[in-house]
Amino acid sequence: EVQLVESGGGLVQPGGSLRLSCAASGFTFSSYWMSWVRQAPGKGLEWVANIKQDGSEKYYVDSVKGRFTISRDNAKNSLYLQMNSLRAEDTAVYYCARLPQANTGPDYWGQGTLVTVSS
Amino acid sequence: AIQMTQSPSSLSASVGDRVTITCRASQGIRNDLGWYQQKPGKAPKLLIYAASSLQSGVPSRFSGSGSGTDFTLTISSLQPEDFATYYCLQDYNYPLTFGQGTKVEIK
């Protein structure tokens, strides 16, 4: 069974940093593109970033470029999102998701972790 | 960025109704579109990929159609467990973009 479990969310002040993690199991992690998608409270879904199997390709939504970094450790079956210079508008539930192929939408999602940016 | 416009934003329907949700892309995206269902407090669930392919395990009352700029998600006979919010997602190019969502409520 595919499982994705996010962690690392919490309350952080504007301008602060946070690192999200996603532990993957039930599939060969190193064979799949992975993604982060977020959802602000009461709002719709927003794609954040994708990363290729070997980490050689990364893509970001414009609003997080230069502030967020997606990475992975295939030996640990883990996906990460380093978030710097956080803003109030980054407040959201962040979902880790698996992509069945390159340039496709996610097929499996984690349960999400809440990031709140507030003073 | 490609804009995805869903309609309606919300609808009220009864169990057994046929429900249709549309998604329009601001430019042609071939058939690079998926549909997701999300229930309150839960992660989204993939229903349809490549515009019309049913994800494994999804009931056959869900179907998708369309190509280019206009797409449709149809629920042939609405069931109690189908009351949720539905999103389309274009994966034609980056940045990937979602529609704003359609909330299906009980009439």
Side-chain angles (χ1 to χ4, degrees), chain A residues 59-105:
Chain A
Y59 301 90
Y60 300 91
V61 68
D62 281 352
S63 60
V64 308
K65 282 180 183 175
R67 301 188 300 123
F68 290 12
T69 301
I70 188 172
S71 63
R72 63 192 297 161
D73 185 336
N74 288 339
K76 295 183 177 179
N77 291 336
S78 292
L79 177 71
Y80 306 101
L81 186 67
Q82 177 67 43
M83 303 185 295
N84 298 331
S85 302
L86 282 161
R87 306 166 180 167
E89 55 264 36
D90 296 318
T91 294
V93 173
Y94 285 74
Y95 294 101
C96 162
R98 187 186 84 165
L99 307 185
Q101 300 177 50
N103 299 329
T104 63

Side-chain angles (χ1 to χ4, degrees), chain B:
Chain B
I2 297 174
Q3 293 192 4
M4 305 301 295
T5 303
Q6 278 184 241
S7 60
S9 297
S10 64
L11 64 91
S12 295
S14 301
V15 172
D17 284 354
R18 182 181 182 89
V19 169
T20 299
I21 298 168
T22 63
C23 190
R24 174 164 289 176
S26 60
Q27 68 181 72
I29 59 170
R30 301 180 308 196
N31 68 335
D32 295 334
L33 183 114
W35 288 98
Y36 294 83
Q37 176 193 67
Q38 187 180 34
K39 296 181 180 179
K42 300 295 187 181
K45 173 186 175 183
L46 177 64
L47 302 175
I48 301 287
Y49 63 95
S52 59
S53 296
L54 192 67
Q55 174 70 353
S56 176
V58 174
S60 58
R61 62 181 180 273
F62 291 94
S63 64
S65 65
S67 182
T69 60
D70 294 309
F71 302 86
T72 299
L73 173 70
T74 299
I75 309 172
S76 59
S77 178
L78 198 66
Q79 298 301 300
E81 60 268 30
D82 300 337
F83 291 96
T85 300
Y86 294 83
Y87 295 93
C88 61
L89 168 67
Q90 71 80 17
D91 51 40
Y92 176 75
N93 68 9
Y94 289 111
L96 307 186
T97 45
F98 288 90
Q100 80 278 15
T102 296
K103 187 173 184 178
V104 176
E105 298 176 301
I106 302 171
K107 182 183 286 185

Side-chain angles (χ1 to χ4, degrees), chain A residues 10-50:
Chain A
L11 176 64
V12 60
Q13 292 188 338
S17 297
L18 212 54
R19 188 197 197 203
L20 305 183
S21 299
C22 171
S25 61
F27 64 103
T28 305
F29 180 73
S30 59
S31 296
Y32 288 85
W33 283 70
M34 296 295 294
S35 184
W36 288 99
V37 177
R38 68 184 178 183
Q39 186 169 36
K43 302 298 184 182
L45 299 167
E46 180 182 37
W47 170 77
V48 174
N50 279 3

